PDB file of all heavy atoms in Angstrom:
ATOM      1  N   GLY B 173       2.004  14.442 -16.899  1.00 64.00           N
ATOM      2  CA  GLY B 173       1.582  15.009 -15.623  1.00 64.00           C
ATOM      3  C   GLY B 173       0.429  14.248 -15.064  1.00 64.00           C
ATOM      4  O   GLY B 173       0.172  13.096 -15.568  1.00 64.00           O
ATOM      5  N   ALA B 174      -0.290  14.921 -14.105  1.00 63.00           N
ATOM      6  CA  ALA B 174      -1.375  14.181 -13.530  1.00 63.00           C
ATOM      7  C   ALA B 174      -2.553  13.770 -14.449  1.00 63.00           C
ATOM      8  O   ALA B 174      -2.827  14.629 -15.353  1.00 63.00           O
ATOM      9  CB  ALA B 174      -1.952  15.067 -12.372  1.00 63.00           C
ATOM     10  N   SER B 175      -3.011  12.570 -14.308  1.00 65.00           N
ATOM     11  CA  SER B 175      -4.063  12.147 -15.181  1.00 65.00           C
ATOM     12  C   SER B 175      -5.388  12.789 -14.775  1.00 65.00           C
ATOM     13  O   SER B 175      -6.278  13.028 -15.552  1.00 65.00           O
ATOM     14  CB  SER B 175      -4.265  10.650 -15.184  1.00 65.00           C
ATOM     15  OG  SER B 175      -3.063  10.023 -15.606  1.00 65.00           O
ATOM     16  N   LEU B 176      -5.511  13.003 -13.472  1.00 65.00           N
ATOM     17  CA  LEU B 176      -6.730  13.603 -12.877  1.00 65.00           C
ATOM     18  C   LEU B 176      -6.335  14.738 -11.998  1.00 65.00           C
ATOM     19  O   LEU B 176      -5.501  14.541 -11.075  1.00 65.00           O
ATOM     20  CB  LEU B 176      -7.519  12.533 -12.051  1.00 65.00           C
ATOM     21  CG  LEU B 176      -8.110  11.339 -12.710  1.00 65.00           C
ATOM     22  CD1 LEU B 176      -8.686  10.392 -11.610  1.00 65.00           C
ATOM     23  CD2 LEU B 176      -9.220  11.792 -13.630  1.00 65.00           C
ATOM     24  N   SER B 177      -6.980  15.872 -12.189  1.00 63.00           N
ATOM     25  CA  SER B 177      -6.636  17.012 -11.322  1.00 63.00           C
ATOM     26  C   SER B 177      -7.816  17.982 -11.323  1.00 63.00           C
ATOM     27  O   SER B 177      -8.537  18.110 -12.339  1.00 63.00           O
ATOM     28  CB  SER B 177      -5.417  17.748 -11.859  1.00 63.00           C
ATOM     29  OG  SER B 177      -5.153  18.868 -11.126  1.00 63.00           O
ATOM     30  N   MET B 178      -8.047  18.566 -10.178  1.00 58.00           N
ATOM     31  CA  MET B 178      -9.199  19.416 -10.009  1.00 58.00           C
ATOM     32  C   MET B 178      -8.987  20.760 -10.827  1.00 58.00           C
ATOM     33  O   MET B 178      -9.956  21.325 -11.327  1.00 58.00           O
ATOM     34  CB  MET B 178      -9.390  19.845  -8.529  1.00 58.00           C
ATOM     35  CG  MET B 178      -9.744  18.700  -7.706  1.00 58.00           C
ATOM     36  SD  MET B 178     -11.287  17.975  -8.084  1.00 58.00           S
ATOM     37  CE  MET B 178     -11.448  16.668  -6.875  1.00 58.00           C
ATOM     38  N   ASP B 179      -7.723  21.183 -10.985  1.00 60.00           N
ATOM     39  CA  ASP B 179      -7.521  22.464 -11.678  1.00 60.00           C
ATOM     40  C   ASP B 179      -6.870  22.366 -12.981  1.00 60.00           C
ATOM     41  O   ASP B 179      -6.546  23.352 -13.596  1.00 60.00           O
ATOM     42  CB  ASP B 179      -6.688  23.396 -10.719  1.00 60.00           C
ATOM     43  CG  ASP B 179      -5.368  22.759 -10.305  1.00 60.00           C
ATOM     44  OD1 ASP B 179      -5.214  21.539 -10.656  1.00 60.00           O
ATOM     45  OD2 ASP B 179      -4.582  23.412  -9.720  1.00 60.00           O
ATOM     46  N   ALA B 180      -6.683  21.097 -13.500  1.00 60.00           N
ATOM     47  CA  ALA B 180      -6.092  20.950 -14.782  1.00 60.00           C
ATOM     48  C   ALA B 180      -7.036  21.327 -15.987  1.00 60.00           C
ATOM     49  O   ALA B 180      -8.198  21.145 -15.842  1.00 60.00           O
ATOM     50  CB  ALA B 180      -5.669  19.469 -15.018  1.00 60.00           C
ATOM     51  N   GLU B 181      -6.453  21.867 -17.001  1.00 62.00           N
ATOM     52  CA  GLU B 181      -7.253  22.259 -18.180  1.00 62.00           C
ATOM     53  C   GLU B 181      -7.690  20.980 -18.940  1.00 62.00           C
ATOM     54  O   GLU B 181      -8.693  20.916 -19.367  1.00 62.00           O
ATOM     55  CB  GLU B 181      -6.368  23.105 -19.113  1.00 62.00           C
ATOM     56  CG  GLU B 181      -6.282  24.552 -18.546  1.00 62.00           C
ATOM     57  CD  GLU B 181      -5.384  25.415 -19.452  1.00 62.00           C
ATOM     58  OE1 GLU B 181      -5.208  25.006 -20.598  1.00 62.00           O
ATOM     59  OE2 GLU B 181      -5.084  26.571 -18.982  1.00 62.00           O
ATOM     60  N   GLU B 182      -6.721  20.006 -18.883  1.00 66.00           N
ATOM     61  CA  GLU B 182      -7.006  18.793 -19.609  1.00 66.00           C
ATOM     62  C   GLU B 182      -6.910  17.502 -18.751  1.00 66.00           C
ATOM     63  O   GLU B 182      -5.834  17.248 -18.201  1.00 66.00           O
ATOM     64  CB  GLU B 182      -6.066  18.601 -20.791  1.00 66.00           C
ATOM     65  CG  GLU B 182      -6.549  17.906 -21.978  1.00 66.00           C
ATOM     66  CD  GLU B 182      -5.534  17.879 -23.062  1.00 66.00           C
ATOM     67  OE1 GLU B 182      -5.173  19.041 -23.496  1.00 66.00           O
ATOM     68  OE2 GLU B 182      -5.173  16.784 -23.571  1.00 66.00           O
TER      69      GLU B 182
END
Side-chain angles (χ1 to χ4, degrees):
Chain B
S175 302
L176 292 172
S177 175
M178 296 295 180
D179 55 353
E181 286 177 12
E182 209 176 304

